[in-house]
Amino acid sequence: MNRLFVVNKPIFRSSNSYMGYVKRKYGTKKVGFSGTLDPFATGCLIVATGQYTKLFQYLDKTPKSYKATLWLGVNSPSLDIEQVDAIREVTPFPLTQIEEVLASLKGELTYYPPKFCAKKIGGRRAYELMREGKEVTLKTITSTIYDIRLLNYNHPFVHFEATVSEGTYIRSLGALIADKLGVDGTLSSLHRIHEGKFCFENEKALDPFQHLTIPRNSYSGDENYLELGKKLSIDYFSIKEDGVYLIETEHFFSIVEIINGTVSYRLNRIAKFKEESCTASKPMQK
């Protein structure tokens, strides 16, 4: 079964472990997801089964939007509630000061990702090394904060919403807010609202054609060549410039790359979306 959809990941479940539930619910062994959410985070998680698991890199997943709560006065090495080691009372801030700090973060932002993250160092995840008590040194990354606004300030909790580029660490964004206020702070909640046009709609099956970022090309040759994965001639393509393109036949689609007049397959013979074939096998408990 080929299916592309969005799940609402529950709290205190890793994105990877939640796939076990998805496999059982849809009666399939091949399941993948894009855009890992931390265990304490909830919300939009793009999931695919079957051949559609090969499409993640071609999907339009930006910008991403999150709702988060920053708990002022709390220290946590992981910048979330999973590693809290100190809680201190802090003096309330004027509402205008909170709003000014949030506004100052708009635009391009360079910062260090959390040390408890999935980035690899010498072939191992940073969070694995941290849990073993080993020192972790990460390079700075740059993200774009398209918008960030205050939803509510109920001291010591700052509730905010942020729309950001792919790869942004909202935990680090929370830490930057706390630093600008001169206090400790950690996220106590994090919910991803959407990724690009992807949002949770009760796990409705989605047509990948509506979410692919690559341009379409047309092939006027024998469709059997495409469906059988045979070598293709540039002469039969309407667009002959170098690039990556989506090609479709009646029942399948392929992703091809043109380089210096030579055509090669990136993905071939992916079955087209059929809504009637994307039904869950049966309801299950999470």
Side-chain angles (χ1 to χ4, degrees), residues 36-38 113-121 123-128 138 169 171:
T36 302
L37 282 172
D38 296 322
K115 291 188 175 182
F116 281 84
C117 72
K119 283 187 173 294
K120 286 190 175 182
I121 301 175
R124 298 193 62 195
R125 302 289 186 185
Y127 64 78
E128 294 175 341
L138 297 172
Y169 288 91
R171 285 178 292 156

PDB file of all heavy atoms in Angstrom, residues 36-38 113-121 123-128 138 169 171:
ATOM      1  N   THR A  36      11.802  14.694  12.219  1.00  0.00           N
ATOM      2  CA  THR A  36      11.686  14.113  13.556  1.00  0.00           C
ATOM      3  C   THR A  36      11.188  15.128  14.581  1.00  0.00           C
ATOM      4  O   THR A  36      11.667  16.264  14.631  1.00  0.00           O
ATOM      5  CB  THR A  36      13.048  13.569  14.014  1.00  0.00           C
ATOM      6  OG1 THR A  36      13.504  12.592  13.075  1.00  0.00           O
ATOM      7  CG2 THR A  36      12.953  12.930  15.387  1.00  0.00           C
ATOM      8  N   LEU A  37      10.230  14.708  15.387  1.00  0.00           N
ATOM      9  CA  LEU A  37       9.784  15.483  16.544  1.00  0.00           C
ATOM     10  C   LEU A  37      10.388  14.878  17.807  1.00  0.00           C
ATOM     11  O   LEU A  37      10.455  13.653  17.943  1.00  0.00           O
ATOM     12  CB  LEU A  37       8.257  15.458  16.656  1.00  0.00           C
ATOM     13  CG  LEU A  37       7.462  16.373  15.726  1.00  0.00           C
ATOM     14  CD1 LEU A  37       5.975  16.062  15.838  1.00  0.00           C
ATOM     15  CD2 LEU A  37       7.717  17.844  16.044  1.00  0.00           C
ATOM     16  N   ASP A  38      10.824  15.742  18.737  1.00  0.00           N
ATOM     17  CA  ASP A  38      11.337  15.253  20.011  1.00  0.00           C
ATOM     18  C   ASP A  38      10.245  14.487  20.751  1.00  0.00           C
ATOM     19  O   ASP A  38       9.047  14.745  20.552  1.00  0.00           O
ATOM     20  CB  ASP A  38      11.800  16.427  20.879  1.00  0.00           C
ATOM     21  CG  ASP A  38      12.967  17.172  20.260  1.00  0.00           C
ATOM     22  OD1 ASP A  38      13.833  16.512  19.664  1.00  0.00           O
ATOM     23  OD2 ASP A  38      13.013  18.412  20.379  1.00  0.00           O
ATOM     24  N   PRO A 113      22.795  24.501  17.814  1.00  0.00           N
ATOM     25  CA  PRO A 113      21.682  23.578  18.069  1.00  0.00           C
ATOM     26  C   PRO A 113      21.808  22.968  19.464  1.00  0.00           C
ATOM     27  O   PRO A 113      22.890  23.020  20.062  1.00  0.00           O
ATOM     28  CB  PRO A 113      21.867  22.503  16.979  1.00  0.00           C
ATOM     29  CG  PRO A 113      23.314  22.557  16.637  1.00  0.00           C
ATOM     30  CD  PRO A 113      23.740  23.985  16.817  1.00  0.00           C
ATOM     31  N   PRO A 114      20.745  22.408  20.012  1.00  0.00           N
ATOM     32  CA  PRO A 114      20.834  21.778  21.334  1.00  0.00           C
ATOM     33  C   PRO A 114      21.824  20.615  21.309  1.00  0.00           C
ATOM     34  O   PRO A 114      21.919  19.893  20.316  1.00  0.00           O
ATOM     35  CB  PRO A 114      19.401  21.262  21.571  1.00  0.00           C
ATOM     36  CG  PRO A 114      18.549  22.004  20.608  1.00  0.00           C
ATOM     37  CD  PRO A 114      19.404  22.293  19.423  1.00  0.00           C
ATOM     38  N   LYS A 115      22.566  20.430  22.392  1.00  0.00           N
ATOM     39  CA  LYS A 115      23.511  19.304  22.445  1.00  0.00           C
ATOM     40  C   LYS A 115      22.781  17.969  22.473  1.00  0.00           C
ATOM     41  O   LYS A 115      23.323  16.956  22.044  1.00  0.00           O
ATOM     42  CB  LYS A 115      24.441  19.449  23.651  1.00  0.00           C
ATOM     43  CG  LYS A 115      25.408  20.618  23.508  1.00  0.00           C
ATOM     44  CD  LYS A 115      26.446  20.641  24.612  1.00  0.00           C
ATOM     45  CE  LYS A 115      27.466  21.754  24.362  1.00  0.00           C
ATOM     46  NZ  LYS A 115      28.515  21.767  25.402  1.00  0.00           N
ATOM     47  N   PHE A 116      21.556  17.983  22.991  1.00  0.00           N
ATOM     48  CA  PHE A 116      20.704  16.789  22.913  1.00  0.00           C
ATOM     49  C   PHE A 116      19.921  16.868  21.599  1.00  0.00           C
ATOM     50  O   PHE A 116      18.751  17.241  21.573  1.00  0.00           O
ATOM     51  CB  PHE A 116      19.739  16.722  24.098  1.00  0.00           C
ATOM     52  CG  PHE A 116      20.365  16.223  25.366  1.00  0.00           C
ATOM     53  CD1 PHE A 116      21.052  17.090  26.192  1.00  0.00           C
ATOM     54  CD2 PHE A 116      20.287  14.883  25.730  1.00  0.00           C
ATOM     55  CE1 PHE A 116      21.634  16.645  27.376  1.00  0.00           C
ATOM     56  CE2 PHE A 116      20.865  14.428  26.904  1.00  0.00           C
ATOM     57  CZ  PHE A 116      21.550  15.313  27.729  1.00  0.00           C
ATOM     58  N   CYS A 117      20.575  16.539  20.495  1.00  0.00           N
ATOM     59  CA  CYS A 117      19.915  16.557  19.199  1.00  0.00           C
ATOM     60  C   CYS A 117      20.389  15.357  18.386  1.00  0.00           C
ATOM     61  O   CYS A 117      21.273  14.611  18.802  1.00  0.00           O
ATOM     62  CB  CYS A 117      20.189  17.865  18.447  1.00  0.00           C
ATOM     63  SG  CYS A 117      21.870  18.031  17.827  1.00  0.00           S
ATOM     64  N   ALA A 118      19.804  15.174  17.201  1.00  0.00           N
ATOM     65  CA  ALA A 118      20.086  13.986  16.399  1.00  0.00           C
ATOM     66  C   ALA A 118      21.260  14.172  15.435  1.00  0.00           C
ATOM     67  O   ALA A 118      21.557  13.276  14.647  1.00  0.00           O
ATOM     68  CB  ALA A 118      18.833  13.593  15.610  1.00  0.00           C
ATOM     69  N   LYS A 119      21.930  15.330  15.497  1.00  0.00           N
ATOM     70  CA  LYS A 119      23.087  15.524  14.621  1.00  0.00           C
ATOM     71  C   LYS A 119      24.173  14.500  14.942  1.00  0.00           C
ATOM     72  O   LYS A 119      24.378  14.137  16.108  1.00  0.00           O
ATOM     73  CB  LYS A 119      23.645  16.948  14.785  1.00  0.00           C
ATOM     74  CG  LYS A 119      22.830  17.998  14.066  1.00  0.00           C
ATOM     75  CD  LYS A 119      23.518  19.339  14.116  1.00  0.00           C
ATOM     76  CE  LYS A 119      22.793  20.363  13.259  1.00  0.00           C
ATOM     77  NZ  LYS A 119      22.861  20.031  11.825  1.00  0.00           N
ATOM     78  N   LYS A 120      24.875  14.052  13.906  1.00  0.00           N
ATOM     79  CA  LYS A 120      25.902  13.026  14.089  1.00  0.00           C
ATOM     80  C   LYS A 120      27.280  13.643  14.287  1.00  0.00           C
ATOM     81  O   LYS A 120      27.662  14.589  13.611  1.00  0.00           O
ATOM     82  CB  LYS A 120      25.920  12.077  12.894  1.00  0.00           C
ATOM     83  CG  LYS A 120      24.746  11.104  12.867  1.00  0.00           C
ATOM     84  CD  LYS A 120      24.929  10.034  11.815  1.00  0.00           C
ATOM     85  CE  LYS A 120      23.812   8.991  11.878  1.00  0.00           C
ATOM     86  NZ  LYS A 120      23.993   7.914  10.888  1.00  0.00           N
ATOM     87  N   ILE A 121      28.019  13.063  15.225  1.00  0.00           N
ATOM     88  CA  ILE A 121      29.402  13.444  15.498  1.00  0.00           C
ATOM     89  C   ILE A 121      30.221  12.162  15.481  1.00  0.00           C
ATOM     90  O   ILE A 121      30.044  11.286  16.333  1.00  0.00           O
ATOM     91  CB  ILE A 121      29.543  14.144  16.866  1.00  0.00           C
ATOM     92  CG1 ILE A 121      28.661  15.396  16.914  1.00  0.00           C
ATOM     93  CG2 ILE A 121      31.004  14.497  17.135  1.00  0.00           C
ATOM     94  CD1 ILE A 121      28.643  16.065  18.267  1.00  0.00           C
ATOM     95  N   GLY A 123      29.874   9.722  13.510  1.00  0.00           N
ATOM     96  CA  GLY A 123      29.006   8.581  13.246  1.00  0.00           C
ATOM     97  C   GLY A 123      27.990   8.284  14.320  1.00  0.00           C
ATOM     98  O   GLY A 123      27.190   7.354  14.176  1.00  0.00           O
ATOM     99  N   ARG A 124      27.982   9.052  15.404  1.00  0.00           N
ATOM    100  CA  ARG A 124      27.031   8.812  16.496  1.00  0.00           C
ATOM    101  C   ARG A 124      26.189  10.057  16.747  1.00  0.00           C
ATOM    102  O   ARG A 124      26.639  11.184  16.543  1.00  0.00           O
ATOM    103  CB  ARG A 124      27.767   8.410  17.776  1.00  0.00           C
ATOM    104  CG  ARG A 124      28.567   7.121  17.647  1.00  0.00           C
ATOM    105  CD  ARG A 124      28.987   6.621  18.994  1.00  0.00           C
ATOM    106  NE  ARG A 124      27.829   6.298  19.824  1.00  0.00           N
ATOM    107  CZ  ARG A 124      27.908   6.110  21.152  1.00  0.00           C
ATOM    108  NH1 ARG A 124      29.070   6.242  21.774  1.00  0.00           N
ATOM    109  NH2 ARG A 124      26.825   5.801  21.831  1.00  0.00           N
ATOM    110  N   ARG A 125      24.951   9.851  17.204  1.00  0.00           N
ATOM    111  CA  ARG A 125      24.054  10.954  17.484  1.00  0.00           C
ATOM    112  C   ARG A 125      24.565  11.745  18.688  1.00  0.00           C
ATOM    113  O   ARG A 125      25.068  11.164  19.664  1.00  0.00           O
ATOM    114  CB  ARG A 125      22.647  10.443  17.786  1.00  0.00           C
ATOM    115  CG  ARG A 125      22.031   9.605  16.666  1.00  0.00           C
ATOM    116  CD  ARG A 125      21.675  10.434  15.461  1.00  0.00           C
ATOM    117  NE  ARG A 125      20.952   9.653  14.463  1.00  0.00           N
ATOM    118  CZ  ARG A 125      20.614  10.113  13.264  1.00  0.00           C
ATOM    119  NH1 ARG A 125      20.917  11.348  12.917  1.00  0.00           N
ATOM    120  NH2 ARG A 125      19.957   9.337  12.415  1.00  0.00           N
ATOM    121  N   ALA A 126      24.400  13.064  18.622  1.00  0.00           N
ATOM    122  CA  ALA A 126      24.860  13.925  19.710  1.00  0.00           C
ATOM    123  C   ALA A 126      24.170  13.567  21.028  1.00  0.00           C
ATOM    124  O   ALA A 126      24.805  13.544  22.088  1.00  0.00           O
ATOM    125  CB  ALA A 126      24.606  15.387  19.360  1.00  0.00           C
ATOM    126  N   TYR A 127      22.866  13.262  20.978  1.00  0.00           N
ATOM    127  CA  TYR A 127      22.149  12.953  22.223  1.00  0.00           C
ATOM    128  C   TYR A 127      22.643  11.658  22.862  1.00  0.00           C
ATOM    129  O   TYR A 127      22.626  11.509  24.087  1.00  0.00           O
ATOM    130  CB  TYR A 127      20.643  12.917  22.008  1.00  0.00           C
ATOM    131  CG  TYR A 127      20.120  11.839  21.083  1.00  0.00           C
ATOM    132  CD1 TYR A 127      19.997  10.527  21.508  1.00  0.00           C
ATOM    133  CD2 TYR A 127      19.707  12.145  19.789  1.00  0.00           C
ATOM    134  CE1 TYR A 127      19.506   9.532  20.664  1.00  0.00           C
ATOM    135  CE2 TYR A 127      19.218  11.166  18.935  1.00  0.00           C
ATOM    136  CZ  TYR A 127      19.131   9.866  19.382  1.00  0.00           C
ATOM    137  OH  TYR A 127      18.646   8.880  18.543  1.00  0.00           O
ATOM    138  N   GLU A 128      23.121  10.710  22.044  1.00  0.00           N
ATOM    139  CA  GLU A 128      23.674   9.472  22.587  1.00  0.00           C
ATOM    140  C   GLU A 128      24.955   9.757  23.366  1.00  0.00           C
ATOM    141  O   GLU A 128      25.167   9.217  24.461  1.00  0.00           O
ATOM    142  CB  GLU A 128      23.969   8.476  21.455  1.00  0.00           C
ATOM    143  CG  GLU A 128      22.738   7.979  20.728  1.00  0.00           C
ATOM    144  CD  GLU A 128      23.081   7.093  19.539  1.00  0.00           C
ATOM    145  OE1 GLU A 128      24.230   7.143  19.068  1.00  0.00           O
ATOM    146  OE2 GLU A 128      22.187   6.369  19.070  1.00  0.00           O
ATOM    147  N   LEU A 138      29.204  21.203  18.805  1.00  0.00           N
ATOM    148  CA  LEU A 138      28.426  21.345  17.581  1.00  0.00           C
ATOM    149  C   LEU A 138      28.730  22.679  16.906  1.00  0.00           C
ATOM    150  O   LEU A 138      29.040  23.669  17.566  1.00  0.00           O
ATOM    151  CB  LEU A 138      26.928  21.267  17.898  1.00  0.00           C
ATOM    152  CG  LEU A 138      26.427  19.934  18.481  1.00  0.00           C
ATOM    153  CD1 LEU A 138      24.979  20.082  18.931  1.00  0.00           C
ATOM    154  CD2 LEU A 138      26.543  18.823  17.452  1.00  0.00           C
ATOM    155  N   TYR A 169      15.663  24.645  15.245  1.00  0.00           N
ATOM    156  CA  TYR A 169      15.446  24.022  16.557  1.00  0.00           C
ATOM    157  C   TYR A 169      14.674  25.000  17.442  1.00  0.00           C
ATOM    158  O   TYR A 169      15.223  26.029  17.869  1.00  0.00           O
ATOM    159  CB  TYR A 169      16.778  23.651  17.208  1.00  0.00           C
ATOM    160  CG  TYR A 169      17.475  22.483  16.560  1.00  0.00           C
ATOM    161  CD1 TYR A 169      18.387  22.683  15.534  1.00  0.00           C
ATOM    162  CD2 TYR A 169      17.208  21.178  16.960  1.00  0.00           C
ATOM    163  CE1 TYR A 169      19.036  21.608  14.927  1.00  0.00           C
ATOM    164  CE2 TYR A 169      17.846  20.089  16.365  1.00  0.00           C
ATOM    165  CZ  TYR A 169      18.749  20.314  15.355  1.00  0.00           C
ATOM    166  OH  TYR A 169      19.391  19.252  14.750  1.00  0.00           O
ATOM    167  N   ARG A 171      13.711  24.479  20.445  1.00  0.00           N
ATOM    168  CA  ARG A 171      14.300  24.471  21.795  1.00  0.00           C
ATOM    169  C   ARG A 171      15.380  25.543  21.913  1.00  0.00           C
ATOM    170  O   ARG A 171      15.475  26.237  22.921  1.00  0.00           O
ATOM    171  CB  ARG A 171      14.884  23.097  22.104  1.00  0.00           C
ATOM    172  CG  ARG A 171      13.843  22.030  22.431  1.00  0.00           C
ATOM    173  CD  ARG A 171      14.505  20.690  22.670  1.00  0.00           C
ATOM    174  NE  ARG A 171      15.105  20.140  21.446  1.00  0.00           N
ATOM    175  CZ  ARG A 171      16.108  19.266  21.431  1.00  0.00           C
ATOM    176  NH1 ARG A 171      16.633  18.839  22.566  1.00  0.00           N
ATOM    177  NH2 ARG A 171      16.579  18.809  20.295  1.00  0.00           N
TER     178      ARG A 171
END
